[in-house]
Structure formats: C-alpha cells, structure tokens
C-alpha cells in the first residue's frame, strides 16, 4: 500500500519515504505473537524513534521543502503518525514560543 500512496504523492509533485517498522514488511518475522509486553514496548519505542529520524531526514534533503513535510500512516501506522505529528508540533511550538 505504501507504494501506491507514494506514487499518488509523486503524481502531484510530492516526495515520500516509506520505512518498514519493527515487525512489519521486511522486518516482520511473525515475532509479534511471541513478543512479551516489555519487548513490544521496546519495539514501539524503536518505531517512534525511527519515524522521527525519517522526518528529520526528509527535512534535511535539499530537494524537499522542509516546511511542507507531512506524516501519513494507515492501520497501526496511523496511530504512530498521529503521535509523531503531535510531538513534532509540540516541538515546533516550543521553538517559537519559548
């Protein structure tokens, strides 16, 4: 699905970056059913950190307008995208309002 969304953005002049989060895509090995609550929490923290890095990476690219970067997700990724966007907005406000 990320490919079709990325292609839709590209058709409208946008860029996209899709990452495989822990337990998903190429990193999914069925371990979610075997992981305990502490391991799942650590994997979630990893996903949050990697998503934040991806956001910073895109903004640092010269061909990307850093002021027009968005975070999009579906399924569990929609919850992650909301969290990342909220943290990013809070940081943005803190920088400007002190």
């Amino acid at each position: 699905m990320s490919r079709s969304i990325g292609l839709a953005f590209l058709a409208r002049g946008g860029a996209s970056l899709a990452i495989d989060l822990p337990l998903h895509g190429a990193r999914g090995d069925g371990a979610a059913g075997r992981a305990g609550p502490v391991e799942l929490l650590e994997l979630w923290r990893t996903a949050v950190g990697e998503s934040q890095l991806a956001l910073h990476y895109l903004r640092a690219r010269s061909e990307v307008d850093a002021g027009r970067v968005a975070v999009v997700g579906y399924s569990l990724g929609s919850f992650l995208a909301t969290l990342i966007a909220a943290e990013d907005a809070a940081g943005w406000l803190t920088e400007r309002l002190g």
Side-chain angles (χ1 to χ4, degrees), residues 22-24 27-37 39-40 43:
L23 305 177
H24 293 85
R27 296 170 72 183
D29 62 0
R34 298 187 307 272
E39 185 179 5
L40 287 174
L43 291 168

Side-chain angles (χ1 to χ4, degrees), residues 7-56:
L7 290 172
F9 283 139
L10 182 61
R12 289 163 181 81
S16 66
L17 173 67
I19 58 175
D20 285 336
L21 297 172
L23 305 177
H24 293 85
R27 296 170 72 183
D29 62 0
R34 298 187 307 272
V38 173
E39 185 179 5
L40 287 174
L41 179 60
E42 287 304 316
L43 291 168
W44 179 254
R45 288 181 178 156
T46 298
V48 169
E50 291 176 358
S51 298
Q52 290 168 328
L53 285 172
L55 188 61
H56 293 297

Side-chain angles (χ1 to χ4, degrees), residues 21-96:
L21 297 172
L23 305 177
H24 293 85
R27 296 170 72 183
D29 62 0
R34 298 187 307 272
V38 173
E39 185 179 5
L40 287 174
L41 179 60
E42 287 304 316
L43 291 168
W44 179 254
R45 288 181 178 156
T46 298
V48 169
E50 291 176 358
S51 298
Q52 290 168 328
L53 285 172
L55 188 61
H56 293 297
Y57 170 79
L58 280 177
R59 286 193 174 133
R61 306 279 308 176
S62 61
E63 66 269 35
V64 173
D65 181 347
R68 299 184 66 194
V69 173
V71 181
V72 177
Y74 52 91
S75 192
L76 182 59
S78 64
F79 181 73
L80 180 61
T82 302
L83 175 67
I84 298 304
E87 288 181 356
D88 189 60
W92 184 87
L93 285 172
T94 301
E95 289 173 11
R96 281 149 186 84

